[in-house]
Amino acid sequence: MSQDQNTPLREDVRLLGEELGSVLREQAGEQLFDTVETIRQAAVESRSTGEMQVDRLRHLLDPLDDETLLEVARAFSQFLNLANIAEQRHRERLHRQHQRFSGDPDTDRGLRQVLEELKRAKIPSDEIHKVLQNLSVELVLTAHPTEVTRRTLIRKYDRVADLLAKLDRPDLTVEESQELRRHLHEQILSAWSTDEIRRERPTPVDEARWGFATIEQSLWQAVPQSMRAIEKELDLAELPPLPEDWVPIRFASWMGGDRDGNPNVTASVTRRVLLLARWMAADLYLRDVENLLADLSMHKASEELLAHTGPSHEPYRLVLRQIRNRLRNTRAQIEACINNQPKPKGETFTSAQLSEQLRLIDRSLRSMGLSAIADAQLKDTLRRLNCFGITLLRLDIRQESTRHADALDAITRYLGIGNYATWDEKRKLEFLLAELDNRRPLINADFYQTDFCDEDVREVLETCKVVAEQGTEGLGAYVISMAKKSSDVLAVMLLQKIAGVQQPMRVVPLFETLDDLNNAATTMSTLLNISQYKQRVLDGQEVMIGYSDSAKDAGFLGAAWAQFRTQEALTDIFRNHGIPLTLFHGRGGSISRGGSPTRMALLSQPPGSVAGRIRVTEQGEMIRFKYGRPAVAAYNLEQYVAATLEATLMPPAQPRPEWRNQMERLTDISIDSYREVVRDDPALVAYLRTVTPETELSRLALGSRPARRKPGGGVETLRAIPWVFAWTQIRLMLPAWLGTGTALEQALKHADEADTLRDMNHQWPFFQGVVDMLEMVLAKSDTRVASWYEERLTDDQELIALGENLRERLSHTVSALQRLTGRESLLDNNPVMRWSIRVRDPYTDPLHLLQAELMARLREREADTVLESALMVTIAGIAAGMRNTG
């Protein structure tokens, strides 16, 4: 990006900083403002000289009392949130101008560029058309707790972004500009006056409502907006028109359905969330219908429509009033179910019924020469219906494999036929297949009254009963976490049968650990070689690839290569069996959890693995960054369609044998080096809990799930998200690079291996993606920041020695990457991100020092509300500064 293109971003950051400074003066007084400004200037000077003047910063912070520390933390945290708004706004600005956001591979190529590239490659139009017809992009919104910002503040920040957009207008008068600045000041004042910290942990229902709000406030507008942009590009490319109901984008959710390790997600919670989603859908369609009622006042109508309404001067409004009444009935009946009240009488809607009524209006308008009207609001509503249905989202269920095995074990013991849990895999498969084909019920109601049916077993069976009663329209996949064997898949199929599910949810194994990824192909081959199973999945199979736990198990590089090879093997197996495969990517926002720009992520997959179908989780703060505002959301949806099309029709070439061999060598070294620290060094867990805020994170009401699968224990009991989050807070970023640097260092010692690595980096999208993401995360790391925490929080010589070792490994990783890329400085190829990090550092540096000080003070006292609040503010502020935290 040129300097001129970057200027508006700098001006917005400056403007927001000025307004925040003005609010600080008003609300906290000149003394606090001067304190904050002095600290900021010291941090700026420290960064500009390249030598962190820690003593000077500490000299400024140490004398501050607890209350002042809290206010200082709030000031720096608030600026980082405002800087994020400025960046988000800049992306919108550039998207509107169809300009390149330099160095960001996600925005380098939109649908127009992909279609042009396909044309140059002489891909036939009918082949492009065929892929587009069947294209399927499903984005799964999850409540993983990396979104630290309260919803009430998000709304205020959205208003700030809107005001920045209005201030961009070139035709503003001086008075209008001043008025907008006044409103901007009000919003920043309002944000400053609002508690940043969520004081109560959200329930799973609260999380689901947050997901619904994302649809209501952004995606409801973004889906038709993106479809119009896509349709325009396809028309410009002179491709044949696609079916009227074509919407390649769908949304699903784990909020209220993901019970893996979360005791707060129960069958009753899932039932309530499904009902609330239907209520919200009915309410949103009602708003659309009210708008259509206002617009469709014309009297000319087709005989088909008049046969439905009878003679009328406003036949369209007659039909729309009928639709409105049925939607009101739908909403009222759902409300009664939610409140456990008797259902009112009246007709309700299914998706198909609502679609039929709206298409009746659509056909009539077109037959009367009113296509322009049909193509306006009505078309938007039909596209929403094709995307969201009458259920708003398809809710996935996720449960851990041993919970299903425990339920079946209880049943077999009750029936007196043995202990399912102790059977070998062969006997389990024989039992499961026999019972799946058996027409008689396996158990009756008496089982639920016995001691065999304990609370955990009952919950598994009750969840399946909710699936049976709710029907499939609002349900997506039943995901089995920690899936290891073929029996894990058949077990869920049998449990659905036991519960009386007439149209079973598709069962999706999630392969997470390194061993499970390596065994995934064998597991699925075993299933496909069972004729009863193969017949059930002829229309398609979905398999989920886990990024979080595999990276925690094997390190970033080892996990990435295992994921690649697993997808390759699965693609080959399903191709040979003639069954469509959808790979479901369980990604997060951070590099160690698979986070990367859309195009980079899809083009780095094995050739043939995308095949026009992709399912991806969108987690935590990434939902807000990518879909929180309609314009940005519409752009990102188009990006998914473009990247899926490109990866399908122009997949990367197969990696060369020497590249594969090099990756095997790299990952062997990387995994050993990673586990040498994470598994084998007894000081690692103590270091994590002493030097990082890992234990303090549990105080932050981030999400409904506990931070640990089990109380106590080591790294293996810690969830992947807090594992990443804690290291990110101290800028050590350990999960993203540990092991990788050692592997690169050793390879670069040998000229032939170094040449191979450089070829891989220039020609292999998978390896390019690894290198680019590693460079981004290393640019955000900082050994000096990490050392501050250590100096303040421990005098244990074993921990200090480990810290020195980790920082040395990090420095070596940076050096190895620079030798590989040939770039002297990290992110030389991405000046916008480099500037983004640089502008944040003077605000994150004081927060890091504050956090270390607050952790030390809190650990010396039993409890202190002010200090706890200040600590939570630093956690939230650093998360805002680092962006992709989990």
Side-chain angles (χ1 to χ4, degrees), residues 192-237:
W192 174 258
S193 305
T194 301
D195 189 356
E196 299 95 329
I197 303 305
R198 199 184 285 125
R199 298 294 170 179
E200 295 181 4
R201 189 171 290 277
T203 67
V205 174
D206 293 333
E207 291 171 334
R209 289 183 191 275
W210 180 78
F212 302 159
T214 301
I215 294 176
E216 178 187 16
Q217 294 163 16
S218 177
L219 290 171
W220 198 253
Q221 291 76 42
V223 166
Q225 188 178 330
S226 67
M227 287 304 301
R228 287 185 183 280
I230 291 167
E231 189 178 65
K232 180 182 176 184
E233 297 301 339
L234 298 179
D235 189 48
L236 283 171

Side-chain angles (χ1 to χ4, degrees), residues 14 53 82 88 102 173 194 210 227 355 387 500 502 510 528-529 549 615 697 702 707 774 807 865:
R14 179 188 53 77
Q53 299 172 23
L82 294 174
Q88 188 86 325
S102 177
T173 65
T194 301
W210 180 78
M227 287 304 301
S355 177
C387 175
Q502 296 301 308
L510 164 54
L528 292 177
N529 288 324
D549 284 285
R615 203 168 191 251
L697 282 173
L702 284 171
L774 183 61
R807 291 192 295 278
T865 305

Side-chain angles (χ1 to χ4, degrees), residues 400-562:
E400 205 261 333
S401 58
T402 58
R403 293 290 299 275
H404 308 129
D406 290 345
L408 289 173
D409 185 68
I411 289 170
T412 57
R413 286 188 290 110
Y414 164 72
L415 294 172
I417 59 175
N419 288 37
Y420 178 89
T422 64
W423 294 348
D424 62 21
E425 181 69 1
K426 182 174 180 292
R427 187 175 178 189
K428 284 179 180 177
L429 290 177
E430 288 171 353
F431 167 75
L432 293 165
L433 290 166
E435 289 304 328
L436 280 167
D437 282 345
N438 201 321
R439 293 187 177 183
R440 59 133 175 84
L442 185 60
I443 56 172
N444 57 30
D446 293 342
F447 171 75
Y448 295 92
Q449 310 307 315
T450 68
D451 291 340
F452 294 100
C453 187
D454 63 23
E455 186 178 337
D456 287 346
V457 170
R458 184 183 304 277
E459 184 55 46
V460 169
L461 296 173
E462 287 295 329
T463 295
C464 291
K465 282 186 177 179
V466 171
V467 173
E469 75 184 32
Q470 292 293 321
T472 57
E473 190 173 11
L475 292 164
Y478 194 120
V479 179
I480 310 165
S481 58
M482 292 297 170
K484 298 180 183 299
K485 300 287 185 182
S486 305
S487 59
D488 291 334
V489 176
L490 296 178
V492 174
M493 295 170 69
L494 180 56
L495 288 167
Q496 290 190 70
K497 177 178 179 284
I498 289 169
V501 178
Q502 296 301 308
Q503 295 176 289
M505 295 176 72
R506 64 185 187 276
V507 181
V508 177
L510 164 54
F511 299 107
E512 299 181 80
T513 66
L514 185 64
D515 287 344
D516 294 342
L517 284 168
N518 290 336
N519 293 329
T522 302
T523 300
M524 298 313 298
S525 283
T526 301
L527 284 169
L528 292 177
N529 288 324
I530 299 169
S531 58
Q532 297 120 294
Y533 182 83
K534 186 171 180 179
Q535 287 300 311
R536 290 169 185 259
V537 297
L538 284 175
D539 290 338
Q541 170 77 56
E542 187 176 316
V543 176
M544 186 169 181
I545 304 297
Y547 288 73
S548 306
D549 284 285
S550 58
K552 185 158 77 79
D553 180 29
F556 165 62
L557 190 64
W561 182 231

